[in-house]
Amino acid sequence: MAGQSRKWMILVATIWIQAFTGTNFDFSAYSSDLKSVLGISQVQLNYLAVASDLGKVFGWSSGLALMYFPLWTVLFAAAFMGFVGYGVQWLVITHFISLPYIMVFLCCLLAGLSICWFNTVCFVLCISNFPANRSLALSLTVSFNGVSAALYTLAYNAINPTSPELYLLLNALIPLIVSFTAIIPILRQPPFEPLPPDGVRRDSLMFLLLNILAALNGVYLLLFGSNSSDLTSARLLFGGAILLLIFPLCIPGLVIARNWYNRTIHTSFRLEGSGFILVDPDELELHKGMLAHEANREGYQLLSDDVVQNPVKTVAVEEEDSDESCCKKLITRDQLEGLGIEHSLSLLLTRSDFWLYYITYFCGGTIGLVYSNNLGQIAQSLGQSSNTTTLVTLYSAFSFFGRLLSATPDYIRAKVYFARTGWLAIALLPTPFALFLLASSGNASALQAGTALMGLSSGFIFAAAVSITSELFGPNSVGVNHNILITNIPIGSLIYGFLAALVYDSHGFTGTKSMTSESVVCMGRDCYYLTFVWWGCLSLLGLGSSLVLFIRTRRAYQRFEQARISSNINDS
């Protein structure tokens, strides 16, 4: 029982880490000031945003570090990288020191790398302590990464709402403080104990409760995250947000009370007739997995007791019709026969499904991330500079809701079963709508609505991507394969951001120049009109790619669901 309580303490610690380490989402809150202090162009500012995203390219280094060092050392290495990366930028923006542009670029790169290391630590903790419910654990904790900007905005309003550079100081200090707070439960990890089926179902109820608490947290941040009317009220609101993050500590107490509940109430109240399927160990994901994180920390890998080791089988295209259309060939050629079959790197790169998935992510979630990086300049160009923190909070809160919604397919599959790639296509729908809305109107309401839709869509994609990668290309290879997938983030950040910066600077000459530096400040709808149109067209390409991916993988998902239903019938 003590071990069960400790694993929930670890989950709460993971939530704290994720909630305060999504520091790249608040870049827009101080980017205009950083641009002014450095006296750089919009293109050069875009490169600084790209530097933060380049951490994704080097994310594999955290896995390598775990092969030689204990988990807690990787956690603190991430904290100190962020402390140095953001701390030096804070010294620059407050004029304590002066550094050349290349040094600031390297600081952004170091700060971005720290986020990847934090994420790796959280993934390892979730998988090792919740092997049967790992998808729910990952979905829940990754969701809190989306509220970081809202939490930092609350802290900013509670301390000094007139100093945008405060964001950088908070980005440097808070993750380090949270790491010290989380170290105790991490050092006291319980040994792995396989749970019986009823234990897994009880754990899933805990996750349902935690998701409800998380939704309340998101609503709170959405309603009060940018309230800065009064310093005292801002401090009270920030204290309320921290209290909501502390509240999940009640879960260990619920674990202790669970036995009493089962003995006295559960016998007369059962969930078999519920509309939810709350994670049966024989059907969740594709394999029952656990993380072997040895005491000597020599390495970590996902183990599976039912992984199919046969080579990848594909559905052959029937050659009966010689006049088969190109569209039909695109749909049927080299289809996946089943889910969860392991893909090596060389095999992955030859799969049509992977490249469709890559384009979907590249033209979907990545555009949303680049939009958030440019949110400060977008607000400024439309005369909404005073509402920048509100917009950052809005994007953050809706990104959080999108991440929470990514767990919906696991909860409603008893009533509605739909391939996860189909949910991905649905999640992409708000992106082109938001971008064309922003292109057609420059008023405050359109800006807020577009920002909310972009956050909702990209948040869902970011959270669902790990599960989709695991299902399509194998759970044991997800560490490598998913890192290959997210290389599109720095590439997209560079291309999309560069496109936006060129349009911005080209119209800057018709706007005004900053009086304090040589950087150009563009004002008016033309600053981002063409950017929104181009991004919208590209997002339609991503939507089309996601639909093709859904059609190609639908058969594999149907086979998996039929096998699950047959297994349940046989067991009963």
Side-chain angles (χ1 to χ4, degrees), residues 108-135:
C108 291
L109 178 63
L110 187 64
L113 183 60
S114 72
I115 299 172
C116 288
W117 281 47
F118 275 124
N119 288 340
T120 298
V121 170
C122 292
F123 295 160
V124 169
L125 288 172
C126 288
I127 295 172
S128 61
N129 288 281
F130 298 93
N133 288 317
R134 66 176 182 267
S135 65

Side-chain angles (χ1 to χ4, degrees), residues 23-269:
T23 47
N24 56 330
F25 290 108
D26 62 18
F27 178 78
S28 295
Y30 59 85
S31 59
S32 295
D33 292 84
L34 187 63
K35 175 183 176 182
S36 178
V37 168
L38 296 176
I40 57 179
S41 67
Q42 187 67 20
V43 173
Q44 290 174 304
L45 182 66
N46 172 65
Y47 290 151
L48 295 184
V50 172
S52 180
D53 295 331
L54 275 174
K56 307 290 191 302
V57 176
F58 302 103
W60 55 268
S61 61
S62 56
L64 184 63
L66 280 173
M67 296 178 64
Y68 300 100
F69 300 102
L71 191 67
W72 66 269
T73 59
V74 177
L75 174 66
F76 279 104
F80 280 107
M81 282 191 289
F83 178 75
V84 174
Y86 287 115
V88 172
Q89 291 182 71
W90 176 76
L91 293 175
V92 171
I93 201 172
T94 54
H95 302 284
F96 277 104
I97 61 174
S98 178
L99 290 178
Y101 175 80
I102 185 61
M103 295 301 298
V104 179
F105 181 91
L106 292 176
C107 286
C108 291
L109 178 63
L110 187 64
L113 183 60
S114 72
I115 299 172
C116 288
W117 281 47
F118 275 124
N119 288 340
T120 298
V121 170
C122 292
F123 295 160
V124 169
L125 288 172
C126 288
I127 295 172
S128 61
N129 288 281
F130 298 93
N133 288 317
R134 66 176 182 267
S135 65
L136 291 180
L138 287 170
S139 175
L140 176 68
T141 56
V142 169
S143 297
F144 277 90
N145 196 248
V147 302
S148 295
L151 288 171
Y152 279 102
T153 297
L154 274 176
Y156 162 78
N157 289 333
I159 298 173
N160 185 3
T162 62
S163 177
E165 63 270 12
L166 180 62
Y167 276 95
L168 285 167
L169 183 61
L170 294 174
N171 287 352
L173 293 177
I174 291 182
L176 185 61
I177 295 171
V178 171
S179 297
F180 278 106
T181 305
I183 192 61
I184 296 177
I186 290 176
L187 288 176
R188 299 183 69 249
Q189 287 191 70
F192 173 73
E193 297 178 1
L195 289 176
D198 61 334
V200 176
R201 293 189 181 94
R202 287 196 299 267
D203 276 7
S204 66
L205 286 174
M206 294 293 183
F207 278 109
L208 182 59
L209 176 60
L210 284 170
N211 274 279
I212 293 173
L213 292 176
L216 292 176
N217 204 321
V219 171
Y220 180 90
L221 292 172
L222 179 62
L223 294 177
F224 308 113
S226 59
N227 191 319
S228 59
S229 58
D230 177 71
L231 189 62
T232 302
S233 62
R235 290 173 178 173
L236 289 175
L237 291 173
F238 179 62
I242 297 300
L243 185 63
L244 284 174
L245 287 176
I246 295 175
F247 194 73
L249 285 175
C250 298
I251 294 298
L254 292 176
V255 172
I256 296 174
R258 190 172 57 189
N259 279 350
W260 173 85
Y261 170 84
N262 290 331
R263 288 194 302 267
T264 59
I265 300 177
H266 188 64
T267 54
S268 60
F269 178 77

